Amino acid sequence: MVRPDTVLRWHRDLVARRHAARSRPKRPGRPRTARSIRLLVLRLARENSNWGYRRIHGELLVLGVTVAASTVWEILQEAGIDPAPERATSTWADFLRSQADALLACDFLETITLSGARFYVCAVIEHGSRRIRVLGATAHPTASRVTQVAKNLVMDLEDADCRAKFLIRDRDGKFPALFDTVLNDAGIEVVLSGVRMPRMNSIMERWVQTCRHELLDRTLIWNQRHLLHALREFEDFYNSHRPHQGIANARPLRPLPMPISDPEQITHLDIKRRQRLGGILHEYRHAV
């Protein structure tokens, strides 16, 4: 025989299970965070290497995005990013990007003429704008000549109202102590790159590679006069026409033009080519 209390207990359990089944959400747990919020959290973590999940959570609230701090923690954890890292240190590349407008880089480029004479080309590039300055070429980079190069650079920067604060160079013995002294007197601190670490001066090294690939490797240099002429042409081409990926394909001295919006003009493009240095360099412009 079944006791009445047992039947009542069965009935209570059945009602409880039915109520639980009807009350159970169709999707268990909290709703998944919107994809746009997840991407924003990962972007903030990527662009701010010293931010933990609490700092990212605060920035989201400033933007009007309301999520729990634990949600930010979970998003970072799922992406393999430490939610509470020790990210106080920055990489050399981060430093270069953050200080680009105040940075210059300098280096010597070596080339040989048809007669076998060896010349040393000194050039300086602005990190922010990618503007290049060819400061001269000489077969004998003596201390007095290199010091004069520094003085010429300071005067050129003042004329251009360039407010550089640092100049990166390697430990080449061709740079005398007076070179650094002249720059320090002008308010420019010289920063030495590490021994055999060209990546610390990567933007300058990249220009050296570009100059070799696009000019010197394709030109037979006769003498110093010919070398300086070719370098001046390339300097003007590099600063006024050649696009640079590091500055969104703009030119150092010229911004990108407005996109062509007229369908008729797109259909009938009339592009003219200008050859420089006998066809080694090509410039393309719209016909007038």
Side-chain angles (χ1 to χ4, degrees):
M1 293 294 293
V2 179
R3 299 175 57 185
D5 291 342
T6 302
V7 175
L8 293 174
R9 179 169 54 80
W10 287 349
H11 180 263
R12 289 195 302 269
D13 292 343
L14 179 61
V15 171
R17 285 195 296 270
R18 287 182 177 178
H19 177 73
R22 292 176 180 177
S23 302
R24 185 181 301 118
K26 295 181 180 180
R27 183 174 180 176
R30 291 180 299 176
R32 185 173 178 82
T33 307
R35 183 173 182 271
S36 59
I37 296 178
R38 298 176 64 84
L39 293 177
L40 179 57
V41 169
L42 296 178
R43 176 187 172 186
L44 292 175
R46 182 178 65 252
E47 296 178 354
N48 303 276
S49 59
N50 61 332
W51 286 12
Y53 78 101
R54 290 285 187 184
R55 177 65 180 86
I56 295 175
H57 175 247
E59 192 68 22
L60 292 175
L61 295 179
V62 171
L63 296 171
V65 180
T66 303
V67 293
S70 59
T71 301
V72 177
W73 190 93
E74 292 174 357
I75 293 173
L76 297 175
Q77 189 75 5
E78 290 178 2
I81 301 174
D82 189 355
E86 292 292 337
R87 293 195 287 243
T89 59
S90 60
T91 64
W92 184 253
D94 293 334
F95 169 76
L96 295 181
R97 281 191 293 268
S98 64
Q99 304 292 330
D101 291 338
L103 279 178
L104 301 172
C106 181
D107 201 3
F108 277 98
L109 165 65
E110 182 181 318
T111 187
I112 300 177
T113 65
L114 280 174
S115 62
R118 191 181 305 271
F119 284 91
Y120 300 92
V121 179
C122 185
V124 170
I125 193 169
E126 298 179 17
H127 274 220
S129 66
R130 295 300 198 272
R131 178 180 179 178
I132 192 69
R133 289 179 170 87
V134 177
L135 303 179
T138 178
H140 306 287
T142 61
S144 59
R145 289 184 177 178
V146 178
T147 301
Q148 185 60 47
V149 164
K151 295 178 181 179
N152 295 341
L153 172 62
V154 169
M155 290 188 292
D156 193 11
L157 295 175
E158 290 177 350
D159 293 340
D161 196 25
C162 178
R163 304 184 182 278
K165 297 299 181 183
F166 304 95
L167 181 139
I168 303 173
R169 69 168 180 84
D170 57 22
R171 300 169 185 268
D172 195 329
K174 289 187 284 293
F175 291 105
L178 281 176
F179 181 89
D180 297 350
T181 302
V182 171
L183 294 175
N184 289 333
D185 292 343
I188 301 175
E189 180 181 349
V190 176
V191 179
L192 300 180
S193 61
V195 178
R196 296 184 179 179
M197 296 182 66
R199 292 187 63 181
M200 293 184 68
N201 200 5
S202 57
I203 292 179
M204 187 70 237
E205 294 291 343
R206 184 66 180 88
W207 180 83
V208 171
Q209 179 183 353
T210 299
C211 184
R212 290 190 184 280
H213 177 70
E214 298 186 9
L215 176 66
L216 298 178
D217 289 349
R218 305 173 61 194
T219 308
L220 297 177
I221 301 297
W222 291 93
N223 50 35
Q224 183 180 16
R225 182 178 178 182
H226 183 205
L227 173 62
L228 289 173
H229 170 71
L231 290 171
R232 296 304 180 197
E233 284 286 315
F234 185 72
E235 177 184 358
D236 182 67
F237 171 79
Y238 190 91
N239 290 332
S240 62
H241 186 81
R242 188 184 187 278
H244 302 282
Q245 296 181 8
I247 52 176
N249 286 314
R251 287 78 59 88
L253 299 182
R254 294 181 183 177
L256 286 176
M258 294 296 294
I260 300 174
S261 57
D262 183 6
E264 181 68 19
Q265 186 177 359
I266 290 290
T267 305
H268 301 89
L269 288 174
D270 188 6
I271 306 298
K272 301 298 183 182
R273 181 181 67 177
R274 176 193 176 192
Q275 298 189 69
R276 307 184 69 165
L277 292 175
I280 293 177
L281 305 176
H282 292 165
E283 292 183 2
Y284 294 91
R285 304 179 186 275
H286 290 277
V288 178

